[in-house]
Amino acid sequence: MSLIDWFAARRKDQFVGKVSQDTDEGDGLWVKCSECSQVAYRKDLISNCNVCSNCGHHNRINSDERINIIADKNSFEEFDRSLSPTDPLGFKDRRSYADRIKESQAGTGLRDGVVTGICSVNSMPLALAVMDFRFMGGSMGSVVGEKITRIIERATLENFPILIVCASGGARMQEGMLSLMQMAKISGALKKHKEKNLLYMPLLTHPTTGGVTASFAMLGDLILAEPKALIGFAGRRVIEQTLREKLPDNFQTAEYLLAHGFVDVIVKRKDLKDTLTKILKIHGVKELAKTNI
Amino acid sequence: MAKRYLLDFEKPLVELEKQIEQIKELARDSEVDVSQQLLQLETLAARRREEIFKSLTPAQKIQVARHPQRPSTLDFVQMFCDDWIELHGDRNGGDDMALIGGIGSINNRPVLMLGHQKGRDTKENVVRNFGMAKPGGYRKALRLMQHANRFSLPILTFIDTPGAYAGLKAEEQGQGEAIARNLREMFGLKVPIVATVIGEGGSGGALGIGVADRLLMFEHSVYTVASPEACASILWRDAAKAPEAASALKITGKDLLKLGIIDEVLPEPSGGNNWAPLDAGNTLKEAIEKHLNALLQMPEEELIEERYKKFRVLGKFIEANNIEEIYSEIPQKTE
């Protein structure tokens, strides 16, 4: 082996080693922030809602962690757990959709990319749908559409406000046009909710794009967003490559949308529950009797 | 007649057409009776054309759907009515030329018509932005639909877009919000809505005027969740796999009828709508008449409720507690 080969091999090993370290988030007591490289004790990071204490970077969190931040302890009652995706088109790209479903289910313990239910926030009721980006990029197929529609219908029936935590790459291509139709289905359910003068808020988290942006993410009476979250209709690369337009650095961030009038308020994760509580109170949401939950 | 734009799979017809032309020329200059041969060749050409168009692949249908001479929204409007007045503007600082609308009457019935408008050539397409509407276009559409709602004009929409425009300005002006609002508000309109995919229905940009009581599609039109090109480059990591993506995505009228997404597939003249635009116009006019007649019988509240139900049932999923049960129900594809 020549010296050059030896260096090449060593670089390759280093590279592989680094990647596996990054993706292996399960173990390790220490975590390095992907934004500012500050090293933090994992438990500290978790107790800080997975937000870097140095730079304030909001790490992605899963649906369970999100529910724990929002809901009063043990108040979350999950609905429609038993809904699972099927493969209506027999879709196969480089891999079959059926395989992708199974892999995502095994990896996340979820049936599909959204968890829905009702909880209380400082004793006030809130219907909740939390998208989980781990499940095929939070993409919206029939199950996501159906579960969100059902929770909206339930909230409409029981006069509950709704919060939908968005985290999605858009419509799930593997279910073809059925996915696109979920956008209309959910928007229709939101229409009925709105007609009863009930409060609907989406919380836009990183990332909220495509078909989700072009439907329920933008239909909030009040639209909340997490700091620096990517929010947009078309992908940045699509706009850059096909249309050759120069884009500002903060393009499609929560702050950018706020400046252009499409987000009401940017909420830091640690303030989320407080902010929700204030909003619910101001909108006259009554506290539940203790026995109800 | 203007020179016809030929699609690659139409090439086998070119030879035949050339022969027909030659014989016709010959006949003009001489006394020989060639009507027999002419008839033979013309019949043959017609049969070939029919064969080719009966067995188009989804990727080929996309080519037909994008044919520059395929009748567009304004073509249909011209065929349908002679009292058309185009209405402009989103009352928000712009008028999108890619999504047009106006009022007129079909068979003495006043209606509002709106749809995406593509151009025939590069110059027109620059003005029409290739039929890709900006947020202002969707807001204009909503303004007109709400107007129709107040004056009880049934709404006809014509879908023909590669997708909503993706650009810096479009994002700044809230492309997502504009489409989303249309989806929600269309559920509340008290007048019948008939939407027709006359060319290509590109994703959210199509759905933005597509929440309807009846959704019709021409035989060679396509309606996609994402363009096959984009889908191929994301899922296959290779844009050249677009024809495969086109098949996998189930984008033709026949497939979408099976999935319960559309209500009717309108037959096209052999060779596609661009061959006989007037025939296409008649087909569409008859279909719209039929559906409007049925929808106008319904009380407003029932109409709105039925529209909700129509979309409410879309989606395929399994409801089962046992995960093993689920795995056994997912069709296993072996290849």
Side-chain angles (χ1 to χ4, degrees):
Chain A
M1 186 189 275
S2 75
L3 200 59
I4 294 171
D5 288 343
W6 183 81
F7 272 115
R10 199 177 76 134
R11 258 201 306 277
K12 207 169 138 198
D13 287 347
Q14 278 174 335
F15 180 67
V16 170
K18 191 164 172 262
V19 167
S20 66
Q21 205 175 29
D22 274 1
T23 52
D24 187 11
E25 287 176 359
D27 315 312
L29 288 169
W30 301 90
V31 208
K32 196 162 146 189
C33 175
S34 61
E35 283 298 303
C36 69
S37 304
Q38 166 100 347
V39 177
Y41 188 47
R42 180 176 290 278
K43 277 190 180 159
D44 287 347
L45 185 70
I46 291 168
S47 68
N48 197 30
C49 307
N50 265 299
V51 176
C52 173
S53 57
N54 185 45
C55 69
H57 174 65
H58 283 53
N59 290 296
R60 191 175 286 144
I61 55 174
N62 65 36
S63 43
D64 276 347
E65 292 167 312
R66 177 72 63 183
I67 291 164
N68 283 336
I69 291 171
I70 295 169
D72 295 342
K73 211 172 174 196
N74 298 326
S75 75
F76 183 70
E77 184 194 346
E78 188 179 347
F79 297 149
D80 302 312
R81 268 189 82 95
S82 58
L83 258 60
S84 299
T86 172
D87 182 10
L89 310 184
F91 195 94
K92 186 169 186 299
D93 46 89
R94 286 169 307 144
R95 292 173 52 213
S96 75
Y97 178 40
D99 282 348
R100 284 182 196 261
I101 294 173
K102 280 188 224 170
E103 190 188 277
S104 273
Q105 285 178 336
T108 59
L110 300 168
R111 295 275 178 90
D112 207 319
V114 71
V115 178
T116 58
I118 286 183
C119 69
S120 68
V121 177
N122 282 318
S123 304
M124 289 174 286
L126 180 68
L128 197 57
V130 182
M131 303 184 86
D132 199 314
F133 194 77
R134 293 175 303 164
F135 199 102
M136 296 185 71
S139 58
M140 172 166 60
S142 300
V143 172
V144 172
E146 180 70 18
K147 284 179 81 170
I148 293 181
T149 305
R150 285 191 191 181
I151 192 70
I152 296 169
E153 285 177 335
R154 176 113 179 204
T156 308
L157 193 73
E158 304 198 29
N159 296 321
F160 288 152
I162 311 173
L163 177 77
I164 301 182
V165 181
C166 306
S168 172
R172 186 174 295 170
M173 284 182 281
Q174 289 91 341
E175 291 186 26
M177 282 294 290
L178 288 172
S179 296
L180 192 76
M181 291 300 145
Q182 304 309 310
M183 293 165 61
K185 182 163 119 181
I186 295 170
S187 304
L190 283 172
K191 174 85 183 160
K192 292 184 169 223
H193 189 258
K194 192 181 178 74
E195 278 170 355
K196 272 187 96 177
N197 283 336
L198 296 166
L199 179 67
Y200 162 52
M201 294 170 285
L203 169 66
L204 315 181
T205 73
H206 184 79
T208 299
T209 58
V212 169
T213 302
S215 59
F216 56 90
M218 284 291 148
L219 291 177
D221 298 303
L222 304 177
I223 301 180
L224 318 181
E226 282 206 327
K228 304 244 170 74
L230 172 81
I231 306 157
F233 173 68
R236 186 188 181 104
R237 255 189 325 159
V238 175
I239 300 173
E240 263 173 355
Q241 284 175 0
T242 59
L243 303 156
R244 292 169 210 277
E245 287 191 53
K246 233 184 147 199
L247 302 173
D249 286 341
N250 67 342
F251 185 59
Q252 293 183 330
T253 58
E255 291 74 13
Y256 181 87
L257 265 87
L258 184 95
H260 286 91
F262 291 99
V263 165
D264 282 286
V265 53
I266 294 174
V267 189
K268 287 183 187 147
R269 202 174 282 162
K270 68 173 174 53
D271 302 332
L272 179 59
K273 188 162 182 174
D274 273 357
T275 307
L276 287 175
T277 307
K278 280 183 204 160
I279 293 176
L280 293 178
K281 258 196 192 134
I282 288 169
H283 288 82
V285 179
K286 297 272 177 302
E287 285 188 16
L288 287 167
K290 284 273 185 287
T291 47
N292 277 11
I293 291 236
Chain B
M1 198 184 126
K3 201 174 176 324
R4 217 161 51 81
Y5 176 90
L6 280 172
L7 303 171
D8 54 6
F9 53 84
E10 284 182 302
K11 297 274 149 78
L13 293 170
V14 177
E15 269 308 301
L16 275 171
E17 276 171 23
K18 254 191 211 154
Q19 279 180 31
I20 293 171
E21 278 305 308
Q22 275 170 357
I23 293 176
K24 272 185 185 163
E25 227 158 84
L26 216 68
R28 256 202 303 273
D29 302 339
S30 71
E31 306 274 305
V32 193
D33 180 23
V34 289
S35 57
Q36 274 299 319
Q37 281 131 301
L38 209 58
L39 189 70
Q40 246 178 10
L41 277 174
E42 276 174 347
T43 324
L44 185 65
R47 204 189 308 144
R48 280 275 159 78
R49 191 176 311 122
E50 203 166 319
E51 279 168 13
I52 292 173
F53 276 81
K54 274 277 170 277
S55 53
L56 292 182
T57 64
Q60 288 170 331
K61 277 186 193 276
I62 294 177
Q63 286 180 273
V64 180
R66 289 176 182 165
H67 196 290
Q69 274 135 15
R70 191 171 175 84
S72 67
T73 298
L74 279 174
D75 292 329
F76 284 118
V77 164
Q78 269 181 6
M79 288 185 244
F80 291 167
C81 59
D82 42 26
D83 57 354
W84 160 260
I85 301 172
E86 187 175 340
L87 303 171
H88 294 272
D90 57 14
R91 299 297 187 268
N92 209 358
D95 180 41
D96 196 329
M97 301 294 278
L99 210 176
I100 57 112
I103 45 175
S105 46
I106 297 185
N107 295 341
N108 291 322
R109 175 184 286 146
V111 291
L112 176 98
M113 289 182 272
L114 56 93
H116 305 101
Q117 182 64 39
K118 291 184 180 177
R120 295 238 177 282
D121 50 39
T122 317
K123 208 172 140 195
E124 271 182 46
N125 262 324
V126 170
V127 178
R128 300 292 182 188
N129 200 25
F130 299 86
M132 296 184 288
K134 294 174 184 155
Y138 292 100
R139 291 183 180 129
K140 171 168 76 174
L142 183 59
R143 176 179 81 84
L144 295 179
M145 289 192 281
Q146 285 169 338
H147 176 80
N149 196 44
R150 285 183 59 222
F151 291 92
S152 302
L153 306 173
I155 298 168
L156 308 176
T157 76
F158 305 102
I159 294 168
D160 188 15
T161 180
Y165 183 63
L168 177 65
K169 270 268 172 295
E171 293 288 321
E172 279 183 2
Q173 295 168 353
Q175 188 67 282
E177 194 273 348
I179 293 171
R181 183 179 293 264
N182 283 16
L183 301 187
R184 184 181 67 198
E185 295 309 319
M186 286 180 87
F187 276 102
L189 299 174
K190 294 178 209 139
V191 291
I193 309 169
V194 178
T196 310
V197 186
I198 57 171
E200 54 178 333
S203 195
L207 189 62
I209 56 167
V211 176
D213 302 301
R214 296 284 187 277
L215 180 55
L216 320 177
M217 236 174 120
F218 270 110
E219 189 182 346
H220 302 311
S221 291
V222 295
Y223 197 173
T224 60
V225 61
S227 80
E229 291 84 357
C231 177
S233 59
I234 296 168
L235 292 181
W236 276 264
R237 306 251 163 93
D238 181 3
K241 300 275 187 196
E244 277 159 273
S247 302
L249 283 169
K250 305 285 184 246
I251 60 176
T252 67
K254 209 172 133 198
D255 289 324
L256 296 177
L257 196 64
K258 240 186 266 168
L259 288 169
I261 288 169
I262 65 165
D263 298 282
E264 191 181 348
V265 180
L266 306 175
E268 294 192 23
S270 137
N273 278 353
N274 55 294
W275 264 84
L278 292 177
D279 289 354
N282 286 333
T283 308
L284 181 54
K285 194 172 170 183
E286 269 173 40
I288 287 173
E289 246 338 88
K290 179 182 77 183
H291 289 294
L292 276 187
N293 282 337
L295 292 168
L296 285 163
Q297 302 293 316
M298 291 161 79
E300 284 173 1
E301 262 156 41
E302 191 186 328
L303 190 70
I304 290 176
E305 200 48 40
E306 287 300 315
R307 190 180 306 145
Y308 183 70
K309 277 190 204 154
K310 177 179 161 59
F311 285 87
R312 181 66 190 83
V313 296
L314 292 178
K316 295 256 185 328
F317 49 85
I318 307 166
E319 208 161 0
N321 286 317
N322 186 348
I323 198 98
E324 301 307 320
E325 225 174 284
I326 292 158
Y327 285 166
S328 67
E329 276 188 51
I330 294 174
Q332 297 292 315
K333 276 233 150 180
T334 46
E335 217 171 287

